[in-house]
């Protein structure tokens, strides 16, 4: 049975619809989510749902924008932490979301890849992350800042593509994926900085066994 109708303020109703939409987009592929079901789960009429969100794409965009804002809020770049600690924490926050919301992430990056609103949301998040990283790196001058900014922009796109591919086919463990991403940016930044930003990286690896690659000891 659908939930009983509740009187909510417009802001409360919008938040409720976003929560229902987020659950459905996380649980199913984008094409399998119907606006009629969103309305039913929320206990509202389709007309009311469409007053808040005129299309399924509009609802998904609002859900994804909310998720991007939350990810930025949870990504801690604390100067008291080492660069590696900050990178690992940021990667873990995003991977937690990607794994829990696989269908939504694949929808944004595959099904709706050409949607300008979705692309703007993702671009804005990547730009915000790049600005935060620039603020904590030891940059000597404007020239090095421009070079590092370009590296970070490319690295963030690399991470996005790699993580989406990994959600499609898990060719390595989550810890290995995270360490590949962290190692990639550290390796790219080292030639551009006067000081090694992470002398403790790479982490110690276990011995090679049976001809296979060593495994990171990081959790």
């Amino acid at each position: 049975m659908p939930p009983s109708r509740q009187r909510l303020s417009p802001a409360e109703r919008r938040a409720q619809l976003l929560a229902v939409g987020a659950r459905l987009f996380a649980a199913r592929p984008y094409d399998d989510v119907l606006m009629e079901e969103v309305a039913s789960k929320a206990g509202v009429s389709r007309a009311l749902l469409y007053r808040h969100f005129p299309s399924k794409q509009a609802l998904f965009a609002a859900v994804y924008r909310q998720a991007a804002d939350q990810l930025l809020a949870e990504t801690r770049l604390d100067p008291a932490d080492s660069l590696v600690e900050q990178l690992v924490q940021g990667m873990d926050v995003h991977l937690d979301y990607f794994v829990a919301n696989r269908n939504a992430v694949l929808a944004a990056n595959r099904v709706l890849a050409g949607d300008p609103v979705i692309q703007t949301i993702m671009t804005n998040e990547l730009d915000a992350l790049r600005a935060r990283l620039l603020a904590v790196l030891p940059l000597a001058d404007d020239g090095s800042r421009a070079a590092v900014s370009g590296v970070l922009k490319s690295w963030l796109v690399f991470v996005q593509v790699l993580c989406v591919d990994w959600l499609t086919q898990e060719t390595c463990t989550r810890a290995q994926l995270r360490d590949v991403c962290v190692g990639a940016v550290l390796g790219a930044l080292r030639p551009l900085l006067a000081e090694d930003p992470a002398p403790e990286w790479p982490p110690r690896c276990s011995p090679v066994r049976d001809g296979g690659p060593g495994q990171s000891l990081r959790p």
Side-chain angles (χ1 to χ4, degrees):
M1 294 180 59
S4 58
R5 187 76 59 88
Q6 294 178 305
R7 285 188 175 277
L8 301 175
S9 69
E12 291 171 331
R13 182 65 71 189
R14 177 182 172 83
Q16 180 210 21
L17 294 172
L18 283 173
V20 172
R23 289 196 299 271
L24 291 177
F25 286 126
R28 301 179 193 167
Y30 178 82
D31 289 340
D32 292 348
V33 177
L34 302 177
M35 290 291 272
E36 291 81 357
E37 185 177 9
V38 175
S40 176
K41 295 284 187 184
V44 302
S45 67
R46 284 184 294 174
L48 178 57
L49 172 60
Y50 280 107
R51 280 204 293 271
H52 284 274
F53 303 102
S55 67
K56 184 167 74 169
Q57 282 182 254
L59 174 60
F60 182 87
V63 166
Y64 212 70
R65 181 179 289 108
Q66 181 175 261
D69 291 343
Q70 186 64 34
L71 287 172
L72 284 174
E74 293 177 2
T75 301
R76 184 185 70 252
L77 292 178
D78 188 342
D81 293 335
S82 71
L83 179 61
V84 168
E85 288 172 330
Q86 296 176 66
L87 289 169
V88 167
Q89 190 272 341
M91 284 297 307
D92 280 339
V93 165
H94 281 75
L95 287 172
D96 283 345
Y97 176 79
F98 293 165
V99 171
N101 298 272
R102 176 181 176 275
N103 286 310
V105 174
L106 291 178
N109 288 275
R110 297 281 172 83
V111 181
L112 299 174
D115 184 280
V117 176
I118 299 299
Q119 288 303 309
T120 297
I121 293 168
M122 291 192 288
T123 297
N124 288 344
E125 187 199 359
L126 296 184
D127 286 346
L129 289 170
R130 177 170 48 144
R132 291 186 183 186
L133 287 168
L134 282 171
V136 300
L137 286 169
L139 303 175
D141 50 43
D142 289 343
S144 63
R145 180 182 179 85
V148 169
S149 179
V151 166
L152 291 175
K153 181 176 182 179
S154 297
W155 174 72
L156 287 165
V157 173
F158 161 78
V159 170
Q160 180 182 20
V161 172
L162 188 61
C163 289
V164 170
D165 286 347
W166 180 78
L167 288 175
T168 304
Q169 183 179 8
E170 294 185 18
T171 54
C172 62
T173 68
R174 171 181 160 150
Q176 288 171 331
L177 174 68
R178 182 193 64 193
D179 285 359
V180 164
C181 293
V182 172
V185 72
L186 293 176
L189 289 176
R190 281 186 171 118
L192 301 175
L193 300 176
E195 299 179 9
D196 190 333
E200 72 276 25
W201 190 273
R204 184 170 60 89
C205 294
S206 62
V208 175
R209 296 174 183 168
D210 299 326
Q215 298 296 312
S216 168
L217 293 184
R218 301 186 66 85

